């Protein structure tokens, strides 16, 4: 890989990933870096089609295995077409969600055996992992109340409180297991305070 770094943003819905993605992009560009912003599931034309399959509401119930495999199918395409080439060219890549979301939603939310996720992670990514993951964390009701205004609701947003609590706990477990990579940011504070925490993590990464 070139000198680019890979940053991922994670967290439950409505906790400010999209909002802060743009803030991070601007911050890095102001520091003279070339930045590529992307998201999962998605990021390439094919992976975006898989995203639609995954998120749209449907009458047919989706098997957990189907959901998990589609997440990794989209990820394989995203890595090959976008993430690896951008890093090789020295760009910094920021992704709105990546594999920690699979541990959280499919592992925590759907209760899929984590060892299966680990096997797919190794198969699809080898040893490749983000350089920094910012996990926006807050009690579930905070994200939900911020999302109240939004009308469109996807297949995941239909889930109930216990599902999102399992997602949150699985994210926090990932952070515990990967303390050097995953930085937990308290999302239950003002946007200015959130962004000040984010900047301190970015500055540490810039010094590495
Ligand atoms: N998924 C999965 O299951 N497995 C996987 O492996 C992957 C994904 C990769 C799509 O995610 C779904 O895919 C996701 C998990 C699943 N489903 N869910 N739920 P997505 O990222 O596209 O969708 P999302 O999680 O629902 O994100 P979102 O709706 O775009 O929310 P957000 O980006 O975190 O929040 P936001 O839009 O930036 O902020 C929400 C509002 O809060 C907005 O009005 C902001 O102005 C406001 N905000 C933000 N920060 C603050 C603070 N600090 N104070 C006050 N107000 C704030």
């Amino acid at each position: 890989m070139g000198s680019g770094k890979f940053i991922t943003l994670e967290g439950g819905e409505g906790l400010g990933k999209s909002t802060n993605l743009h803030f991070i992009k601007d911050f890095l560009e102001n520091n003279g870096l070339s930045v590529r912003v992307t998201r999962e599931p998605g990021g390439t034309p094919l992976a975006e089609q898989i995203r639609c399959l995954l998120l749209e509401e449907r009458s047919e119930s989706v098997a957990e295995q189907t959901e998990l495999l589609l997440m990794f199918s989209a990820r394989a395409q995203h890595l090959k077409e976008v993430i690896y080439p951008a890093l090789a060219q020295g760009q910094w890549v920021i992704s709105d969600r990546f594999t920690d979301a699979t541990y959280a939603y499919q592992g925590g939310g759907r209760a899929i055996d984590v060892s299966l996720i680990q096997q797919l992670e190794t198969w699809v990514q080898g040893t490749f992992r983000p350089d920094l993951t910012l996990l926006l964390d807050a009690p579930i009701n905070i994200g939900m109340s911020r999302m109240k205004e939004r009308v469109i609701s996807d297949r995941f947003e239909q889930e109930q409180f216990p599902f999102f609590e399992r997602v949150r706990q699985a994210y926090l477990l990932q952070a515990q297991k990967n303390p050097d990579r995953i930085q937990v940011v308290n999302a239950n504070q003002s946007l200015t305070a959130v962004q000040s925490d984010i900047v301190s993590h970015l500055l540490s990464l810039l010094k590495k």
Side-chain angles (χ1 to χ4, degrees):
M1 295 285 157
S3 56
K5 299 236 188 271
F6 183 39
I7 300 173
T8 58
L9 262 178
E10 299 281 1
E13 64 160 355
L15 292 182
K17 290 183 310 324
S18 310
T19 309
N20 289 303
L21 200 71
H22 299 288
F23 171 78
I24 294 170
K25 178 179 189 285
D26 291 346
F27 178 84
L28 294 175
E29 285 178 346
N30 289 337
N31 277 273
L33 296 164
S34 166
V35 179
R36 173 82 188 243
V37 168
T38 186
R39 69 171 180 182
E40 287 214 349
T44 84
L46 174 55
E48 288 291 329
Q49 286 186 349
I50 298 173
R51 179 187 177 91
C52 292
L53 292 176
L54 277 160
L55 297 193
E56 71 192 0
E57 282 186 75
R58 57 183 71 243
S59 50
E60 180 184 356
S61 85
V62 179
E64 288 164 0
Q65 293 90 336
T66 307
E67 186 176 282
L68 176 65
L69 291 169
L70 283 174
M71 289 294 175
F72 272 104
S73 303
R75 184 160 300 135
Q77 192 66 18
H78 190 207
L79 282 163
K80 176 175 175 284
E81 290 295 311
V82 172
I83 299 175
Y84 291 154
L87 291 174
Q89 286 167 17
Q91 284 191 300
W92 282 46
V93 178
I94 317 168
S95 185
D96 186 342
R97 297 192 187 280
F98 191 62
T99 309
D100 292 306
T102 312
Y103 282 98
Y105 284 83
Q106 282 64 54
R110 306 272 188 239
I112 293 180
D113 185 347
V114 167
S115 69
L116 287 172
I117 300 175
Q118 285 168 336
Q119 284 174 47
L120 287 169
E121 181 181 38
T122 303
W123 184 50
V124 169
Q125 299 167 221
T127 57
F128 179 77
R129 300 290 180 273
D131 295 289
L132 171 67
T133 297
L134 296 165
L135 171 56
L136 296 171
D137 177 66
I140 307 305
N141 58 311
I142 300 294
M144 283 182 168
S145 66
R146 288 182 192 164
M147 299 294 285
K148 262 192 195 138
E149 313 279 295
R150 208 175 282 187
V151 185
I152 303 163
S153 176
D154 66 36
R155 207 169 55 77
F156 289 94
E157 288 166 1
Q158 308 294 316
E159 294 292 341
Q160 302 301 311
F161 190 93
F163 175 90
F164 292 113
E165 188 54 42
R166 290 197 299 278
V167 167
R168 182 183 184 205
Q169 295 310 323
Y171 263 134
L172 291 172
L173 184 62
Q174 274 296 96
Q176 235 178 55
K177 287 181 178 169
N178 302 275
D180 294 337
R181 172 174 67 82
I182 304 181
Q183 301 299 333
V184 181
V185 175
N186 175 11
N188 189 14
Q189 52 181 344
S190 71
L191 189 55
T192 314
V194 168
Q195 293 181 339
S196 154
D197 289 352
I198 288 176
V199 164
S200 70
H201 295 306
L202 293 177
L203 288 173
S204 304
L205 184 62
L206 282 166
K207 282 182 200 139
K208 281 186 185 166

